[in-house]
Amino acid sequence: MTVSDGQTTDYDAVIVGAGFAGMYMLKRLRDDLGLNVRVFERGDGVGGTWYWNRYPGARCDVESLFYSYSFSPELQQEWQWTERYPTQPEILRYANHVADRFGLRPDIAFSTSIDSARYDEAQDRWTVYTDDGLVTTAQYLITAVGCLSASRVPDFEGMETFGGPTYHTGRWPHEEVDFTGRRVAVIGTGSSGIQSIPVIAAQAAHVTVFQRTPNFSVPAVNGPLSGAEIEQTKANYEQLRQAARISPTGTNPAAPIGSALELPEDVRTREMKERWDYGGAGFMSAFIDTGVNAEANEVVAEFVRDRIREVVERPDIADLLVPRDHPIGTKRICVDTDYYATYNRDNVTLVSVRETPIERITERGVVVAGELYEVDDIVYATGFDAMTGPLNAIDIRGVDGVALREKWVAGPRTYLGIASAGFPNLFMITAPGSPSVLSNMMVSIEQHVDWITDHIAYARDHGVTRTDADPTAEENWGDHVNEVANMTLYPRAASWYMGANIPGKPRVFMPYIGGVGAYRQMCDQVAADGYRGFTLKTSNDVRPSRQSASQAPVPAES
Ligand code: N01
């Protein structure tokens, strides 16, 4: 392994990104394997998603006590969460606490982006080029770039002529934005819009919401955590964390009570009402068939539509807010505080841009169907080039100089959502083909980081200088990812999971939907089989791992 004298730019591993994935990866490789590691982070602080997404009302839709690292019993006991769903500032404080507590900052180069990376086949090392002109080499390149970090603003005609400030929710300024007395346009009603609209409306003189597709949202029922709740979770953390690791989504919702099609109407309505009143995304787990059967899905969707009609006073507005174009859950379910009730305010206007898209943006506002909506500020809550966007933004070149973005031109191809054939010694945390965005990201991040650490330790112990996914194993895995997705209703929605929000992006269901627990088992089995499906090269030879690639993977649980 390479030795660094503090001056050298040669490392054992380079990590891209200092969000929760990058920080934990650094800790494991440095503290447990004793490697020399350099992290490059384009922000000037840690936190990733939570560093960038500072929009009003930003909070996590996974409960704070479980949207946190589990690797350190001391850390999880000492950190005090204050609310059921943590705010962005609180999560960012936590990320900073972790960075300080484990002394991570000295190994992170902040305000530095990686532009490109080349695999050097003669040396079995990556050469990494950063925007400060530095050239760095490393045996391993590990991306921890996040799934939703490439923010996206549609190309509206005339947008550059707008006279006031504009904001994207995923690139919010660090200083406070005061909307008092201002007329604000919010474009987009995904999770970011749904969280920010009520908070902006409470401050601004007027908010005009431009909605293309209504979304399903369930109430968070957020509130302060009581001492008793915290104590109880902390006393049982070990079992609760383990249950999350082997669960379908990395969380601990109440188990489904049966089939929405088979249960008597009063039973299923009672169940949905109880879950609705309890709050949170656990509402979606009431029945076993919501995600796979259109009729069952409709039972749940109609329950939510009724709740929208109940809350929104004006029937014409309620009608616009009721989602009808996709099965519930096939676009990421939103979790809100007072979203629908916000449309009862006098200072909120809803403009549907479904039939009549935004025509253009002028110096004074937004034009729809020939009408100018005059505003002082525009908030783009228009989402991200999800999952592949952040990886394709870096010019990553593997064997024979092939670019990852060229290899992925028809959609991402990975083995286990961690590696991609022809890109040796490259590991991608929570990449397409892994559960990632369909799970509690903290659980999936820890699983990937631990698996990658074990793989690197195995390589070191066996004199392996290069590890590369086998193309056949990758193809098999891709088939499996598609097969499982096609068993569900997910491909029916024009969602960012499918790449549908980016014009020209291939329509491929990107995350793996076979479940976090089942996926973990498969990854563990691959490791137990000596990294089946990877070709491992020692300093003297190239040899396939113990079992042939054609046997990989084993989607035993799906
Ligand atoms: O982005 P989105 P997001 N004209 O893509 C609309 C995570 N997250 O930032 O649906 C008009 O969901 C677009 O309309 P349509 C979470 O995983 C988590 O809100 O494409 N409108 C849509 O309404 C989430 O799913 C949390 O028709 C246009 C909106 O912009 C993911 O991030 C909080 C348009 C984009 O919604 C992304 O959420 C926030 C156009 N030309 C985010 N183009 C929590 O943890 C796009 N839109 C709670």
Side-chain angles (χ1 to χ4, degrees), residues 186-190 192-194 197 209-212 339 379-382:
V186 180
I187 301 176
T189 52
S192 304
I194 280 176
I197 288 162
V209 178
F210 296 88
Q211 170 192 270
R212 187 165 65 183
Y339 176 63
V379 173
Y380 293 105
T382 44

Side-chain angles (χ1 to χ4, degrees), residues 6-25:
Q7 303 291 317
T8 178
T9 52
D10 298 328
Y11 293 91
D12 296 317
V14 158
I15 298 169
V16 195
F20 284 117
M23 286 201 292
Y24 183 42
M25 193 77 247

Side-chain angles (χ1 to χ4, degrees), residues 55-246:
Y55 60 84
R59 62 174 79 237
C60 187
D61 56 3
V62 175
E63 297 190 23
S64 55
L65 286 159
F66 298 97
Y67 190 81
S68 47
Y69 288 121
S70 72
F71 69 80
S72 162
E74 298 79 21
L75 173 67
Q76 69 181 8
Q77 289 298 330
E78 77 199 12
W79 183 261
Q80 293 298 331
W81 294 106
T82 62
E83 289 180 74
R84 179 176 174 189
Y85 293 101
T87 60
Q88 174 272 330
E90 189 167 22
I91 303 173
L92 193 57
R93 275 199 299 281
Y94 173 74
N96 278 289
H97 170 73
V98 170
D100 293 333
R101 193 189 191 287
F102 297 102
L104 301 179
R105 290 183 208 279
D107 296 306
I108 305 173
F110 290 105
S111 306
T112 312
S113 292
I114 293 186
D115 291 334
S116 60
R118 303 262 178 290
Y119 191 69
D120 178 344
E121 291 175 66
Q123 304 292 323
D124 282 330
R125 292 178 71 77
W126 283 93
T127 307
V128 173
Y129 302 87
T130 40
D131 61 356
D132 56 2
L134 216 70
V135 180
T136 302
T137 78
Q139 185 178 6
Y140 296 103
L141 176 63
I142 303 169
T143 62
V145 291
C147 298
L148 293 157
S149 52
S151 57
R152 182 193 173 253
V153 178
D155 195 12
F156 294 116
E157 188 192 321
M159 57 194 293
E160 69 291 346
T161 64
F162 181 64
T166 60
Y167 308 92
H168 185 281
T169 49
R171 285 284 177 279
W172 203 261
H174 287 204
E175 60 280 6
E176 201 192 331
V177 177
D178 187 0
F179 288 119
T180 306
R182 298 183 70 86
R183 299 162 303 169
V184 183
V186 180
I187 301 176
T189 52
S191 297
S192 304
I194 280 176
Q195 285 190 333
S196 58
I197 288 162
V199 181
I200 298 174
Q203 190 182 53
H206 197 92
V207 174
T208 309
V209 178
F210 296 88
Q211 170 192 270
R212 187 165 65 183
T213 311
N215 245 310
F216 289 100
S217 187
V218 300
V221 193
N222 186 42
L225 283 167
S226 71
E229 279 172 287
I230 295 173
E231 229 170 83
Q232 206 194 1
T233 298
K234 288 191 171 178
N236 296 294
Y237 243 147
E238 214 170 304
Q239 301 91 295
L240 291 166
R241 295 289 203 184
Q242 186 49 23
R245 288 185 196 114
I246 59 172

Side-chain angles (χ1 to χ4, degrees), residues 474-541:
E474 180 170 287
E475 207 178 306
N476 290 348
W477 181 252
D479 289 348
H480 174 61
V481 171
N482 285 332
E483 188 189 335
V484 183
N486 288 333
M487 288 159 62
T488 73
L489 302 173
Y490 276 87
R492 297 193 188 187
S495 64
W496 59 256
Y497 296 137
M498 297 288 296
N501 62 329
I502 306 292
K505 191 167 172 174
R507 297 276 175 118
V508 179
F509 190 75
M510 293 184 284
Y512 176 59
I513 201 178
V516 162
Y519 171 79
R520 176 186 293 269
Q521 263 186 21
M522 287 184 258
C523 291
D524 288 350
Q525 197 54 53
V526 164
D529 293 343
Y531 296 94
R532 173 169 34 83
F534 284 86
T535 300
L536 308 178
K537 177 189 150 192
T538 62
S539 25
N540 307 319
D541 69 344

Side-chain angles (χ1 to χ4, degrees), residues 173 340 346:
Y340 294 115
D346 293 336

Side-chain angles (χ1 to χ4, degrees), residues 137-434:
T137 78
Q139 185 178 6
Y140 296 103
L141 176 63
I142 303 169
T143 62
V145 291
C147 298
L148 293 157
S149 52
S151 57
R152 182 193 173 253
V153 178
D155 195 12
F156 294 116
E157 188 192 321
M159 57 194 293
E160 69 291 346
T161 64
F162 181 64
T166 60
Y167 308 92
H168 185 281
T169 49
R171 285 284 177 279
W172 203 261
H174 287 204
E175 60 280 6
E176 201 192 331
V177 177
D178 187 0
F179 288 119
T180 306
R182 298 183 70 86
R183 299 162 303 169
V184 183
V186 180
I187 301 176
T189 52
S191 297
S192 304
I194 280 176
Q195 285 190 333
S196 58
I197 288 162
V199 181
I200 298 174
Q203 190 182 53
H206 197 92
V207 174
T208 309
V209 178
F210 296 88
Q211 170 192 270
R212 187 165 65 183
T213 311
N215 245 310
F216 289 100
S217 187
V218 300
V221 193
N222 186 42
L225 283 167
S226 71
E229 279 172 287
I230 295 173
E231 229 170 83
Q232 206 194 1
T233 298
K234 288 191 171 178
N236 296 294
Y237 243 147
E238 214 170 304
Q239 301 91 295
L240 291 166
R241 295 289 203 184
Q242 186 49 23
R245 288 185 196 114
I246 59 172
S247 73
T249 57
T251 52
N252 301 304
I257 60 160
S259 158
L261 297 180
E262 288 165 14
L263 290 163
E265 195 184 332
D266 61 326
V267 175
R268 65 191 193 199
T269 305
R270 190 170 59 235
E271 181 68 17
M272 286 188 284
K273 185 160 182 345
E274 272 173 20
R275 287 180 187 246
W276 185 266
D277 293 343
Y278 179 72
F283 171 80
M284 292 304 297
S285 311
F287 311 115
I288 53 173
D289 38 9
T290 311
V292 293
N293 181 294
E295 211 184 320
N297 187 281
E298 194 53 23
V299 170
V300 181
E302 198 46 32
F303 179 90
V304 178
R305 292 184 194 120
D306 284 344
R307 302 288 78 69
I308 298 170
R309 294 184 191 109
E310 234 169 49
V311 172
V312 180
E313 287 159 6
R314 276 181 49 183
D316 56 332
I317 302 291
D319 200 49
L320 287 178
L321 288 166
V322 162
R324 294 184 186 85
D325 82 317
H326 62 281
I328 186 167
T330 54
K331 283 186 163 195
R332 165 91 171 205
I333 193 80
C334 301
V335 178
D336 73 277
T337 298
D338 296 333
Y339 176 63
Y340 294 115
T342 296
Y343 291 94
N344 296 333
R345 296 179 66 107
D346 293 336
N347 70 335
V348 176
T349 304
L350 177 64
V351 178
S352 174
V353 294
R354 186 154 197 81
E355 311 302 335
T356 49
I358 291 172
E359 241 169 67
R360 62 183 188 282
I361 290 176
T362 71
E363 194 191 343
R364 286 157 54 209
V366 181
V367 180
V368 178
E371 188 174 342
L372 170 68
Y373 293 86
E374 281 200 55
V375 292
D376 303 310
D377 308 82
I378 299 179
V379 173
Y380 293 105
T382 44
F384 302 89
D385 182 356
M387 304 197 75
T388 49
L391 291 163
N392 286 341
I394 307 170
D395 184 13
I396 300 174
R397 297 198 178 238
V399 172
D400 295 332
V402 171
L404 188 69
R405 55 168 84 121
E406 277 162 30
K407 177 181 169 181
W408 285 8
V409 78
R413 285 151 58 202
T414 68
Y415 179 41
L416 299 174
I418 295 181
S420 195
F423 295 82
N425 294 2
L426 169 69
F427 294 108
M428 298 174 288
I429 301 172
T430 63
S434 73

